[in-house]
Amino acid sequence: MSEKAGGPTGLAFERFRVKDREEWLMRLGRPHAPAILFIPPLFEEMNRTRALIVAVMNRLARRGHCCWLPDLSGTGESERDLGDVTWRDWRHDVTFAAAHITEQSKYPLVASLRSGALVDDEAKARGWWRFAPQDGSSVARDMARSGLAGGVAWAGYAPSDDLKAALVAAKPAAVKRLRTVRLSTDPGEADAKIEGPALWRRSEPGNSAELADALAADLQRWSGECVGF
Amino acid sequence: MAAAPNDSLKVEATLRAVLADVLGLEPSRVAQFREDSPLFGALPEFDSMAVAGLLTELEERLGILIEDHEVDADMMETFGALLTFARNKALT
């Protein structure tokens, strides 16, 4: 560790090319350190987990990793409208973000949260790590249900019909060198269960140092096991 | 689904844990909810997205399926009403 603990960890924003367009990647950590590409949850949970993802990235950057987080098409700083984005676009975003990172160092480890796991399997990576992955049908049900109790369906998001249809059919795909982590309150199958709050369920975005610590520690171990692929 | 809670107390504990997670409330506060404690319409945290999250999280943790037509303001009005709904779904 060449940087002071708690000090700046090499924050940078880079453009990356996806076929005929460009999107943004945020980087935390030194460029040639072992790379981890984070894929956030889709739609509303993306906002609710942003602080958690950055907290995990910070911890890993301080421990000698280079962490990357893309703005998927139609989200964040992307110049596109969500209504024009297709499911393939999101899958391409992940694949091309991984390729951009590989040009600078080596294959990244892909770390997906929740529904991010639905678009992460085509990237060329040294391994995969998924936190609380879910089926697309569950995401779609959740978003449609936000209209049940007097709210707006899809929580005001206006995805294309293509995006909705593909989401409903999507399931996390099998990949090599995969580690799946879930919360202890989640009955689903996992390689490890950890304690912490389900932040993606909160109506107000929150954070948890306890959860960020546990995720960063697990991810660091798994990254170590995926070196050399 | 693995490890489906199979008794009344487990369903109640799961419901309290889900409410704490979804609404971002202190577990100690949720532990004090009684049958007649008002929920939907009484807690500012309980908005429409929280309703969606509550239902989906209950489905996942209790291994149940909740149909949209079963959802109305009455079943979420009090802690007791929501508990009765969850027990009926999970235990029968």
Side-chain angles (χ1 to χ4, degrees), chain A residues 9-86:
Chain A
T9 44
L11 173 66
F13 296 88
E14 290 186 18
R15 303 276 276 171
F16 70 102
R17 179 153 283 283
V18 187
K19 295 182 179 282
D20 56 350
R21 56 192 168 87
E22 288 192 334
E23 301 293 347
W24 286 99
L25 268 166
M26 181 176 85
R27 190 192 85 211
L28 268 177
R30 283 171 295 114
H32 301 292
I36 301 177
L37 171 61
F38 285 79
I39 309 301
L42 311 175
F43 299 108
E44 186 62 14
E45 289 190 12
M46 187 185 290
N47 303 318
R48 295 175 175 183
T49 55
R50 177 87 182 185
L52 174 70
I53 293 174
V54 171
V56 173
M57 290 172 72
N58 250 317
R59 282 160 172 74
L60 287 162
R62 282 194 215 118
R63 294 176 203 160
H65 283 81
C66 186
C67 298
W68 301 80
L69 178 66
D71 281 341
L72 298 178
S73 296
T75 77
E77 299 300 314
S78 170
E79 285 152 19
R80 303 182 68 203
D81 283 338
L82 182 63
D84 298 330
V85 172
T86 66

